[in-house]
């Protein structure tokens, strides 16, 4: 088994929440092992094994490791070359009455795998709370800009208008699916329980003199003491590594969502329509003092790529587990699982920071619309002429010629789009010149975008955030902001 020092993920936790960083710390891991040994002892005592009250009490009083116990464990591991047994011995030094019964009947995966399942469940809960806050923040942004027209893009080419708020709802909808997927993964998690070295529970059957009912009861008791509703009905030495696939899949999907959001904002920043927060003393470039690089969204995209790739690692690990288990999953998972959760946590934290300080530039957005809208409005102009008795084919040809002339000014000479002025100067269009302003009103080109924002927030976002878990997370974040 690897040294306990390998539990310390190489990924920097500088931007991770304290809760998530602590969840994957050595201190949390080894305390959890001790809690699992305590639960096993309590259940075994309840079912009739000769375990003293003193042993239980000493275990309860020494769940946290001191620096001295970490040192003892390190020395024991160097001697024994086995991390679990090193910690069995270390726990026994502070709970001597329990030294003979700690880990009784169990295999190493009793503590390592069950602890991992606990960490996965808690980590998913942290991410669910962070997601709820992010969705709440972006929803407020969408509501604020529900009807602000903006040029839409398909193929990153100018397309029909949308609104700033409507575009944000596309981001939010993806995040709602991530919230659903992560909640499903968490709520579906079971416990490995007490299954023995190859999953047959043979050691526990021997402890209880062949009493199958007591062995089944032991599995149930330890599972409930550890806070799980059920244990997986069958395991090998480990819980199936497909569980890791099921957990990391939604995190990888979240990475794809975050990358898309980060990329959209980076592109909008290039167009100077929307920017991420930029501090008054922040430096965008060491050489180009004017620059406002979207470094937060760049970080989101960078880490999201890493997050998406970790799912592939889980797939490969599950595929090479020979028979009842091989140890080549161990070192891999000790890096992959913490990194996946720490990365997802940092991505959500950074996106939340971005969402809370997005800067919108309506005048720039309006100017870009003005550059493209005249071309988009040509069909409206033609229809207006027809209503005034004009011939559609003639109107179409006159507009086509004027549009080509205006396009030449824009593309070949770098000038403004003057199509509307050309229409104003053409006597053919005299019947509708008084209507041109209304025909070019951007609000008439956004369809039902504002109403879609309202309906989406009411019928989809509000119910998704109405649960106690989400409401508590949002309220807690607001309290923190007020205190700050």
């Amino acid at each position: 088994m690897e040294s306990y020092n390998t539990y310390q993920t190489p990924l920097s936790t500088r931007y991770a929440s304290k809760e998530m960083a602590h969840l994957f710390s050595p201190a949390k891991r080894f305390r959890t092992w001790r809690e699992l040994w305590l639960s096993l002892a309590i259940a075994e005592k309840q079912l009739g094994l000769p375990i003293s009250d003193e042993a239980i009490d000493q275990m309860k009083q020494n769940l946290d490791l001191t620096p001295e116990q970490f040192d003892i464990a390190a020395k024991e591991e160097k001697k024994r070359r086995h991390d679990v047994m090193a910690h069995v011995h270390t726990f026994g030094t502070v709970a001597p009455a329990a030294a003979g019964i700690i880990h009784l009947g169990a295999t190493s995966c009793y503590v390592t795998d069950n602890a991992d399942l606990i960490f996965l469940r808690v980590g998913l809960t942290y991410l669910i709370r962070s997601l709820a806050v992010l969705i709440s923040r972006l929803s407020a942004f969408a509501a604020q800009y529900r009807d602000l027209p903006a040029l839409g893009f398909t193929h990153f080419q100018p397309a029909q208008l949308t609104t700033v708020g409507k575009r944000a709802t596309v981001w939010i909808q993806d995040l709602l699916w991530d919230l659903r997927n992560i909640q499903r993964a968490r709520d579906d998690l079971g416990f490995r329980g007490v299954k023995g070295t190859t999953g047959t529970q043979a050691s526990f059957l021997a402890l209880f003199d062949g009493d199958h009912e007591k062995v089944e009861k032991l599995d149930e008791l330890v599972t409930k003491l550890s806070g799980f509703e059920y244990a997986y009905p069958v395991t090998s030495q480990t819980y199936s590594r497909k569980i890791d696939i099921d957990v990391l899949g939604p995190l990888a999907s979240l990475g794809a969502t975050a990358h898309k959001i980060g990329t959209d904002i980076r592109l909008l920043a290039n167009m100077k329509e929307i920017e991420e927060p930029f501090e008054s003393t922040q430096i965008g470039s060491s050489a180009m003092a004017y620059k406002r690089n979207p470094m937060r969204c760049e970080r989101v995209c960078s880490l999201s790529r890493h997050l998406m790739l970790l799912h592939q690692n889980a797939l490969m690990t599950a595929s090479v587990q020979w028979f009842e288990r091989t140890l080549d999953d161990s070192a891999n998972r000790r890096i992959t699982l913490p990194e996946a959760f720490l990365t997802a946590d940092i991505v959500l934290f950074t996106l939340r920071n971005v969402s809370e300080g997005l800067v919108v530039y309506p005048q720039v957005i309006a100017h870009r619309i003005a550059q493209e809208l005249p071309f988009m409005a040509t069909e409206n102009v033609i229809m207006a002429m027809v209503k005034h008795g004009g011939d559609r084919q003639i109107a179409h040809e006159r507009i086509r010629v004027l549009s080509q002339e205006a396009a030449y000014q824009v593309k070949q000479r770098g000038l403004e789009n003057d199509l509307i002025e050309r229409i104003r100067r053409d006597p053919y269009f005299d019947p509708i010149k008084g209507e041109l302003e209304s025909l070019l009103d951007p609000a008439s080109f956004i369809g039902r975008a504002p109403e879609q924002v309202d309906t989406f927030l009411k019928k989809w976002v509000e119910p998704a955030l109405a649960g106690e878990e989400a409401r508590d997370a949002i309220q807690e974040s607001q309290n923190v902001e007020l205190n700050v």
Side-chain angles (χ1 to χ4, degrees), residues 278-316:
F278 196 90
E279 308 298 336
S280 61
T281 57
Q282 183 175 329
I283 296 174
S285 168
S286 60
M288 295 168 279
Y290 63 88
K291 292 193 75 178
R292 291 170 65 104
N293 297 333
M295 61 88 170
R296 290 173 174 84
C297 288
E298 288 173 324
R299 181 186 302 144
V300 166
C301 292
S302 177
L303 292 175
S304 293
R305 289 199 297 273
H306 180 60
L307 182 57
M308 287 185 276
L309 287 174
L310 291 174
H311 187 225
Q312 181 66 28
N313 208 326
L315 288 164
M316 294 174 68

mmCIF file of all heavy atoms in Angstrom, residues 278-316:
data_model
loop_
_atom_site.group_PDB
_atom_site.id
_atom_site.type_symbol
_atom_site.label_atom_id
_atom_site.label_comp_id
_atom_site.label_asym_id
_atom_site.label_seq_id
_atom_site.Cartn_x
_atom_site.Cartn_y
_atom_site.Cartn_z
ATOM 1 N N PHE A 278 -12.891 43.000 -12.971
ATOM 2 C CA PHE A 278 -11.499 43.429 -13.116
ATOM 3 C C PHE A 278 -11.206 44.421 -12.003
ATOM 4 O O PHE A 278 -11.808 45.487 -11.935
ATOM 5 C CB PHE A 278 -11.281 44.070 -14.491
ATOM 6 C CG PHE A 278 -9.829 44.193 -14.877
ATOM 7 C CD1 PHE A 278 -9.200 43.165 -15.570
ATOM 8 C CD2 PHE A 278 -9.098 45.329 -14.548
ATOM 9 C CE1 PHE A 278 -7.867 43.268 -15.937
ATOM 10 C CE2 PHE A 278 -7.759 45.441 -14.902
ATOM 11 C CZ PHE A 278 -7.138 44.409 -15.603
ATOM 12 N N GLU A 279 -10.288 44.053 -11.109
ATOM 13 C CA GLU A 279 -10.016 44.888 -9.941
ATOM 14 C C GLU A 279 -9.330 46.198 -10.350
ATOM 15 O O GLU A 279 -8.634 46.271 -11.367
ATOM 16 C CB GLU A 279 -9.127 44.136 -8.948
ATOM 17 C CG GLU A 279 -9.643 42.751 -8.579
ATOM 18 C CD GLU A 279 -10.994 42.788 -7.901
ATOM 19 O OE1 GLU A 279 -11.329 43.834 -7.316
ATOM 20 O OE2 GLU A 279 -11.718 41.786 -7.961
ATOM 21 N N SER A 280 -9.518 47.220 -9.546
ATOM 22 C CA SER A 280 -8.971 48.545 -9.872
ATOM 23 C C SER A 280 -7.455 48.532 -9.956
ATOM 24 O O SER A 280 -6.854 49.322 -10.692
ATOM 25 C CB SER A 280 -9.425 49.568 -8.829
ATOM 26 O OG SER A 280 -8.958 49.203 -7.535
ATOM 27 N N THR A 281 -6.813 47.636 -9.200
ATOM 28 C CA THR A 281 -5.348 47.578 -9.221
ATOM 29 C C THR A 281 -4.826 46.377 -10.004
ATOM 30 O O THR A 281 -3.627 46.110 -10.010
ATOM 31 C CB THR A 281 -4.795 47.502 -7.780
ATOM 32 O OG1 THR A 281 -5.362 46.351 -7.128
ATOM 33 C CG2 THR A 281 -5.157 48.756 -7.000
ATOM 34 N N GLN A 282 -5.735 45.655 -10.667
ATOM 35 C CA GLN A 282 -5.336 44.444 -11.388
ATOM 36 C C GLN A 282 -4.533 44.805 -12.633
ATOM 37 O O GLN A 282 -4.830 45.779 -13.333
ATOM 38 C CB GLN A 282 -6.577 43.642 -11.784
ATOM 39 C CG GLN A 282 -6.297 42.313 -12.484
ATOM 40 C CD GLN A 282 -7.588 41.546 -12.731
ATOM 41 O OE1 GLN A 282 -8.541 41.660 -11.958
ATOM 42 N NE2 GLN A 282 -7.614 40.769 -13.792
ATOM 43 N N ILE A 283 -3.521 44.004 -12.939
ATOM 44 C CA ILE A 283 -2.692 44.190 -14.118
ATOM 45 C C ILE A 283 -3.027 43.104 -15.132
ATOM 46 O O ILE A 283 -2.968 41.910 -14.819
ATOM 47 C CB ILE A 283 -1.193 44.149 -13.773
ATOM 48 C CG1 ILE A 283 -0.849 45.326 -12.853
ATOM 49 C CG2 ILE A 283 -0.336 44.165 -15.031
ATOM 50 C CD1 ILE A 283 0.578 45.293 -12.346
ATOM 51 N N GLY A 284 -3.392 43.498 -16.350
ATOM 52 C CA GLY A 284 -3.752 42.534 -17.374
ATOM 53 C C GLY A 284 -2.571 41.957 -18.108
ATOM 54 O O GLY A 284 -2.588 40.820 -18.554
ATOM 55 N N SER A 285 -1.518 42.745 -18.239
ATOM 56 C CA SER A 285 -0.336 42.292 -18.967
ATOM 57 C C SER A 285 0.881 43.023 -18.431
ATOM 58 O O SER A 285 0.819 44.216 -18.126
ATOM 59 C CB SER A 285 -0.493 42.557 -20.471
ATOM 60 O OG SER A 285 0.739 42.378 -21.147
ATOM 61 N N SER A 286 2.004 42.320 -18.336
ATOM 62 C CA SER A 286 3.225 42.952 -17.848
ATOM 63 C C SER A 286 3.779 43.947 -18.854
ATOM 64 O O SER A 286 4.525 44.869 -18.484
ATOM 65 C CB SER A 286 4.281 41.885 -17.544
ATOM 66 O OG SER A 286 4.587 41.153 -18.732
ATOM 67 N N ALA A 287 3.431 43.780 -20.138
ATOM 68 C CA ALA A 287 3.949 44.669 -21.174
ATOM 69 C C ALA A 287 2.896 45.634 -21.695
ATOM 70 O O ALA A 287 3.194 46.797 -21.977
ATOM 71 C CB ALA A 287 4.505 43.839 -22.338
ATOM 72 N N MET A 288 1.667 45.143 -21.843
ATOM 73 C CA MET A 288 0.605 45.957 -22.441
ATOM 74 C C MET A 288 -0.340 46.424 -21.339
ATOM 75 O O MET A 288 -1.262 45.719 -20.934
ATOM 76 C CB MET A 288 -0.134 45.117 -23.493
ATOM 77 C CG MET A 288 0.764 44.744 -24.665
ATOM 78 S SD MET A 288 0.041 43.467 -25.749
ATOM 79 C CE MET A 288 0.419 41.986 -24.809
ATOM 80 N N ALA A 289 -0.094 47.622 -20.868
ATOM 81 C CA ALA A 289 -0.775 48.113 -19.673
ATOM 82 C C ALA A 289 -2.276 48.286 -19.859
ATOM 83 O O ALA A 289 -3.031 48.296 -18.883
ATOM 84 C CB ALA A 289 -0.166 49.457 -19.252
ATOM 85 N N TYR A 290 -2.734 48.409 -21.101
ATOM 86 C CA TYR A 290 -4.153 48.640 -21.372
ATOM 87 C C TYR A 290 -4.992 47.376 -21.294
ATOM 88 O O TYR A 290 -6.218 47.452 -21.263
ATOM 89 C CB TYR A 290 -4.313 49.245 -22.771
ATOM 90 C CG TYR A 290 -3.831 48.323 -23.870
ATOM 91 C CD1 TYR A 290 -4.684 47.393 -24.444
ATOM 92 C CD2 TYR A 290 -2.507 48.368 -24.303
ATOM 93 C CE1 TYR A 290 -4.241 46.536 -25.434
ATOM 94 C CE2 TYR A 290 -2.056 47.514 -25.287
ATOM 95 C CZ TYR A 290 -2.921 46.592 -25.861
ATOM 96 O OH TYR A 290 -2.469 45.735 -26.823
ATOM 97 N N LYS A 291 -4.368 46.224 -21.243
ATOM 98 C CA LYS A 291 -5.105 44.973 -21.419
ATOM 99 C C LYS A 291 -5.940 44.591 -20.194
ATOM 100 O O LYS A 291 -5.549 44.851 -19.054
ATOM 101 C CB LYS A 291 -4.142 43.818 -21.746
ATOM 102 C CG LYS A 291 -3.482 43.937 -23.107
ATOM 103 C CD LYS A 291 -2.814 42.641 -23.512
ATOM 104 C CE LYS A 291 -3.858 41.630 -23.942
ATOM 105 N NZ LYS A 291 -3.245 40.366 -24.388
ATOM 106 N N ARG A 292 -7.095 43.960 -20.477
ATOM 107 C CA ARG A 292 -7.976 43.419 -19.435
ATOM 108 C C ARG A 292 -8.234 41.956 -19.785
ATOM 109 O O ARG A 292 -9.299 41.590 -20.264
ATOM 110 C CB ARG A 292 -9.282 44.195 -19.382
ATOM 111 C CG ARG A 292 -9.135 45.620 -18.863
ATOM 112 C CD ARG A 292 -10.413 46.410 -19.056
ATOM 113 N NE ARG A 292 -11.514 45.864 -18.262
ATOM 114 C CZ ARG A 292 -11.977 46.407 -17.138
ATOM 115 N NH1 ARG A 292 -11.432 47.510 -16.670
ATOM 116 N NH2 ARG A 292 -12.977 45.877 -16.490
ATOM 117 N N ASN A 293 -7.233 41.141 -19.577
ATOM 118 C CA ASN A 293 -7.350 39.738 -19.952
ATOM 119 C C ASN A 293 -8.406 39.029 -19.102
ATOM 120 O O ASN A 293 -8.474 39.243 -17.886
ATOM 121 C CB ASN A 293 -6.011 39.020 -19.786
ATOM 122 C CG ASN A 293 -4.943 39.584 -20.699
ATOM 123 O OD1 ASN A 293 -5.268 40.119 -21.754
ATOM 124 N ND2 ASN A 293 -3.692 39.471 -20.299
ATOM 125 N N PRO A 294 -9.212 38.160 -19.708
ATOM 126 C CA PRO A 294 -10.247 37.425 -18.945
ATOM 127 C C PRO A 294 -9.646 36.233 -18.209
ATOM 128 O O PRO A 294 -9.969 35.081 -18.475
ATOM 129 C CB PRO A 294 -11.206 36.976 -20.048
ATOM 130 C CG PRO A 294 -10.337 36.784 -21.247
ATOM 131 C CD PRO A 294 -9.275 37.849 -21.143
ATOM 132 N N MET A 295 -8.760 36.526 -17.270
ATOM 133 C CA MET A 295 -7.962 35.452 -16.668
ATOM 134 C C MET A 295 -8.798 34.496 -15.830
ATOM 135 O O MET A 295 -8.471 33.317 -15.717
ATOM 136 C CB MET A 295 -6.804 36.049 -15.852
ATOM 137 C CG MET A 295 -7.191 36.934 -14.691
ATOM 138 S SD MET A 295 -7.439 35.963 -13.179
ATOM 139 C CE MET A 295 -7.589 37.257 -11.958
ATOM 140 N N ARG A 296 -9.901 34.976 -15.241
ATOM 141 C CA ARG A 296 -10.734 34.069 -14.457
ATOM 142 C C ARG A 296 -11.385 33.023 -15.366
ATOM 143 O O ARG A 296 -11.383 31.820 -15.056
ATOM 144 C CB ARG A 296 -11.801 34.854 -13.702
ATOM 145 C CG ARG A 296 -11.284 35.715 -12.556
ATOM 146 C CD ARG A 296 -12.408 36.569 -12.001
ATOM 147 N NE ARG A 296 -12.025 37.313 -10.807
ATOM 148 C CZ ARG A 296 -11.392 38.488 -10.821
ATOM 149 N NH1 ARG A 296 -11.053 39.039 -11.980
ATOM 150 N NH2 ARG A 296 -11.088 39.102 -9.692
ATOM 151 N N CYS A 297 -11.951 33.468 -16.473
ATOM 152 C CA CYS A 297 -12.580 32.528 -17.399
ATOM 153 C C CYS A 297 -11.552 31.648 -18.087
ATOM 154 O O CYS A 297 -11.843 30.490 -18.417
ATOM 155 C CB CYS A 297 -13.413 33.282 -18.427
ATOM 156 S SG CYS A 297 -14.926 33.986 -17.739
ATOM 157 N N GLU A 298 -10.361 32.171 -18.294
ATOM 158 C CA GLU A 298 -9.287 31.334 -18.839
ATOM 159 C C GLU A 298 -8.938 30.230 -17.847
ATOM 160 O O GLU A 298 -8.688 29.084 -18.245
ATOM 161 C CB GLU A 298 -8.067 32.197 -19.151
ATOM 162 C CG GLU A 298 -8.264 33.099 -20.363
ATOM 163 C CD GLU A 298 -7.125 34.071 -20.573
ATOM 164 O OE1 GLU A 298 -6.561 34.568 -19.569
ATOM 165 O OE2 GLU A 298 -6.797 34.353 -21.727
ATOM 166 N N ARG A 299 -8.930 30.563 -16.568
ATOM 167 C CA ARG A 299 -8.657 29.545 -15.548
ATOM 168 C C ARG A 299 -9.762 28.497 -15.529
ATOM 169 O O ARG A 299 -9.502 27.300 -15.405
ATOM 170 C CB ARG A 299 -8.533 30.203 -14.173
ATOM 171 C CG ARG A 299 -8.216 29.215 -13.042
ATOM 172 C CD ARG A 299 -8.237 29.899 -11.688
ATOM 173 N NE ARG A 299 -7.299 30.994 -11.657
ATOM 174 C CZ ARG A 299 -7.504 32.130 -11.004
ATOM 175 N NH1 ARG A 299 -8.638 32.321 -10.352
ATOM 176 N NH2 ARG A 299 -6.601 33.082 -11.005
ATOM 177 N N VAL A 300 -11.010 28.954 -15.664
ATOM 178 C CA VAL A 300 -12.138 28.016 -15.711
ATOM 179 C C VAL A 300 -11.971 27.039 -16.862
ATOM 180 O O VAL A 300 -12.133 25.823 -16.697
ATOM 181 C CB VAL A 300 -13.474 28.787 -15.846
ATOM 182 C CG1 VAL A 300 -14.606 27.838 -16.245
ATOM 183 C CG2 VAL A 300 -13.813 29.492 -14.538
ATOM 184 N N CYS A 301 -11.640 27.549 -18.038
ATOM 185 C CA CYS A 301 -11.485 26.675 -19.199
ATOM 186 C C CYS A 301 -10.309 25.722 -19.020
ATOM 187 O O CYS A 301 -10.392 24.540 -19.375
ATOM 188 C CB CYS A 301 -11.298 27.516 -20.460
ATOM 189 S SG CYS A 301 -12.771 28.442 -20.946
ATOM 190 N N SER A 302 -9.232 26.220 -18.482
ATOM 191 C CA SER A 302 -8.045 25.397 -18.278
ATOM 192 C C SER A 302 -8.332 24.232 -17.336
ATOM 193 O O SER A 302 -8.042 23.066 -17.637
ATOM 194 C CB SER A 302 -6.914 26.262 -17.721
ATOM 195 O OG SER A 302 -5.761 25.491 -17.451
ATOM 196 N N LEU A 303 -8.925 24.538 -16.193
ATOM 197 C CA LEU A 303 -9.208 23.489 -15.209
ATOM 198 C C LEU A 303 -10.340 22.575 -15.674
ATOM 199 O O LEU A 303 -10.351 21.385 -15.348
ATOM 200 C CB LEU A 303 -9.561 24.128 -13.864
ATOM 201 C CG LEU A 303 -8.402 24.843 -13.158
ATOM 202 C CD1 LEU A 303 -8.894 25.538 -11.894
ATOM 203 C CD2 LEU A 303 -7.293 23.863 -12.807
ATOM 204 N N SER A 304 -11.289 23.106 -16.420
ATOM 205 C CA SER A 304 -12.394 22.281 -16.910
ATOM 206 C C SER A 304 -11.898 21.195 -17.852
ATOM 207 O O SER A 304 -12.419 20.074 -17.854
ATOM 208 C CB SER A 304 -13.440 23.152 -17.616
ATOM 209 O OG SER A 304 -14.076 24.009 -16.693
ATOM 210 N N ARG A 305 -10.900 21.523 -18.663
ATOM 211 C CA ARG A 305 -10.332 20.489 -19.536
ATOM 212 C C ARG A 305 -9.746 19.353 -18.709
ATOM 213 O O ARG A 305 -9.902 18.177 -19.028
ATOM 214 C CB ARG A 305 -9.266 21.088 -20.453
ATOM 215 C CG ARG A 305 -9.821 21.993 -21.529
ATOM 216 C CD ARG A 305 -8.825 22.181 -22.661
ATOM 217 N NE ARG A 305 -7.603 22.827 -22.234
ATOM 218 C CZ ARG A 305 -7.423 24.144 -22.185
ATOM 219 N NH1 ARG A 305 -8.420 24.958 -22.523
ATOM 220 N NH2 ARG A 305 -6.273 24.648 -21.804
ATOM 221 N N HIS A 306 -9.054 19.718 -17.637
ATOM 222 C CA HIS A 306 -8.494 18.694 -16.749
ATOM 223 C C HIS A 306 -9.603 17.861 -16.116
ATOM 224 O O HIS A 306 -9.506 16.631 -16.042
ATOM 225 C CB HIS A 306 -7.657 19.377 -15.664
ATOM 226 C CG HIS A 306 -7.030 18.441 -14.687
ATOM 227 N ND1 HIS A 306 -6.137 17.462 -15.057
ATOM 228 C CD2 HIS A 306 -7.178 18.316 -13.336
ATOM 229 C CE1 HIS A 306 -5.749 16.779 -13.982
ATOM 230 N NE2 HIS A 306 -6.373 17.279 -12.935
ATOM 231 N N LEU A 307 -10.664 18.525 -15.687
ATOM 232 C CA LEU A 307 -11.782 17.834 -15.044
ATOM 233 C C LEU A 307 -12.431 16.843 -16.002
ATOM 234 O O LEU A 307 -12.782 15.726 -15.607
ATOM 235 C CB LEU A 307 -12.805 18.860 -14.556
ATOM 236 C CG LEU A 307 -14.033 18.352 -13.823
ATOM 237 C CD1 LEU A 307 -13.644 17.530 -12.596
ATOM 238 C CD2 LEU A 307 -14.929 19.516 -13.418
ATOM 239 N N MET A 308 -12.601 17.242 -17.252
ATOM 240 C CA MET A 308 -13.229 16.349 -18.225
ATOM 241 C C MET A 308 -12.376 15.114 -18.483
ATOM 242 O O MET A 308 -12.899 14.008 -18.666
ATOM 243 C CB MET A 308 -13.477 17.103 -19.537
ATOM 244 C CG MET A 308 -14.606 18.113 -19.450
ATOM 245 S SD MET A 308 -14.984 18.885 -21.038
ATOM 246 C CE MET A 308 -13.769 20.184 -21.089
ATOM 247 N N LEU A 309 -11.079 15.256 -18.461
ATOM 248 C CA LEU A 309 -10.197 14.126 -18.750
ATOM 249 C C LEU A 309 -10.157 13.104 -17.622
ATOM 250 O O LEU A 309 -9.893 11.916 -17.856
ATOM 251 C CB LEU A 309 -8.777 14.642 -19.020
ATOM 252 C CG LEU A 309 -8.576 15.353 -20.365
ATOM 253 C CD1 LEU A 309 -7.178 15.948 -20.446
ATOM 254 C CD2 LEU A 309 -8.782 14.377 -21.515
ATOM 255 N N LEU A 310 -10.406 13.515 -16.391
ATOM 256 C CA LEU A 310 -10.331 12.592 -15.250
ATOM 257 C C LEU A 310 -11.373 11.491 -15.344
ATOM 258 O O LEU A 310 -11.176 10.393 -14.800
ATOM 259 C CB LEU A 310 -10.489 13.370 -13.938
ATOM 260 C CG LEU A 310 -9.314 14.294 -13.597
ATOM 261 C CD1 LEU A 310 -9.632 15.125 -12.360
ATOM 262 C CD2 LEU A 310 -8.041 13.486 -13.368
ATOM 263 N N HIS A 311 -12.490 11.749 -16.015
ATOM 264 C CA HIS A 311 -13.494 10.701 -16.187
ATOM 265 C C HIS A 311 -12.926 9.537 -16.987
ATOM 266 O O HIS A 311 -13.203 8.371 -16.692
ATOM 267 C CB HIS A 311 -14.723 11.280 -16.891
ATOM 268 C CG HIS A 311 -15.869 10.324 -16.968
ATOM 269 N ND1 HIS A 311 -16.611 10.134 -18.112
ATOM 270 C CD2 HIS A 311 -16.400 9.488 -16.042
ATOM 271 C CE1 HIS A 311 -17.551 9.241 -17.890
ATOM 272 N NE2 HIS A 311 -17.434 8.831 -16.643
ATOM 273 N N GLN A 312 -12.124 9.833 -18.000
ATOM 274 C CA GLN A 312 -11.496 8.784 -18.791
ATOM 275 C C GLN A 312 -10.614 7.903 -17.915
ATOM 276 O O GLN A 312 -10.538 6.682 -18.098
ATOM 277 C CB GLN A 312 -10.674 9.410 -19.916
ATOM 278 C CG GLN A 312 -9.975 8.412 -20.835
ATOM 279 C CD GLN A 312 -10.936 7.580 -21.649
ATOM 280 O OE1 GLN A 312 -12.033 8.040 -21.941
ATOM 281 N NE2 GLN A 312 -10.553 6.377 -22.009
ATOM 282 N N ASN A 313 -9.965 8.511 -16.937
ATOM 283 C CA ASN A 313 -9.118 7.756 -16.016
ATOM 284 C C ASN A 313 -9.941 6.744 -15.227
ATOM 285 O O ASN A 313 -9.535 5.593 -15.044
ATOM 286 C CB ASN A 313 -8.417 8.737 -15.076
ATOM 287 C CG ASN A 313 -7.094 8.203 -14.579
ATOM 288 O OD1 ASN A 313 -6.925 7.023 -14.378
ATOM 289 N ND2 ASN A 313 -6.148 9.106 -14.380
ATOM 290 N N ALA A 314 -11.107 7.173 -14.748
ATOM 291 C CA ALA A 314 -11.975 6.262 -13.989
ATOM 292 C C ALA A 314 -12.456 5.110 -14.867
ATOM 293 O O ALA A 314 -12.556 3.956 -14.410
ATOM 294 C CB ALA A 314 -13.167 7.036 -13.424
ATOM 295 N N LEU A 315 -12.770 5.396 -16.114
ATOM 296 C CA LEU A 315 -13.200 4.343 -17.037
ATOM 297 C C LEU A 315 -12.099 3.299 -17.221
ATOM 298 O O LEU A 315 -12.354 2.090 -17.187
ATOM 299 C CB LEU A 315 -13.553 4.957 -18.392
ATOM 300 C CG LEU A 315 -14.843 5.781 -18.462
ATOM 301 C CD1 LEU A 315 -14.860 6.628 -19.729
ATOM 302 C CD2 LEU A 315 -16.060 4.868 -18.431
ATOM 303 N N MET A 316 -10.895 3.770 -17.410
ATOM 304 C CA MET A 316 -9.784 2.845 -17.627
ATOM 305 C C MET A 316 -9.494 2.021 -16.383
ATOM 306 O O MET A 316 -9.222 0.814 -16.473
ATOM 307 C CB MET A 316 -8.548 3.634 -18.054
ATOM 308 C CG MET A 316 -8.695 4.319 -19.404
ATOM 309 S SD MET A 316 -7.311 5.389 -19.818
ATOM 310 C CE MET A 316 -6.011 4.160 -20.025
#
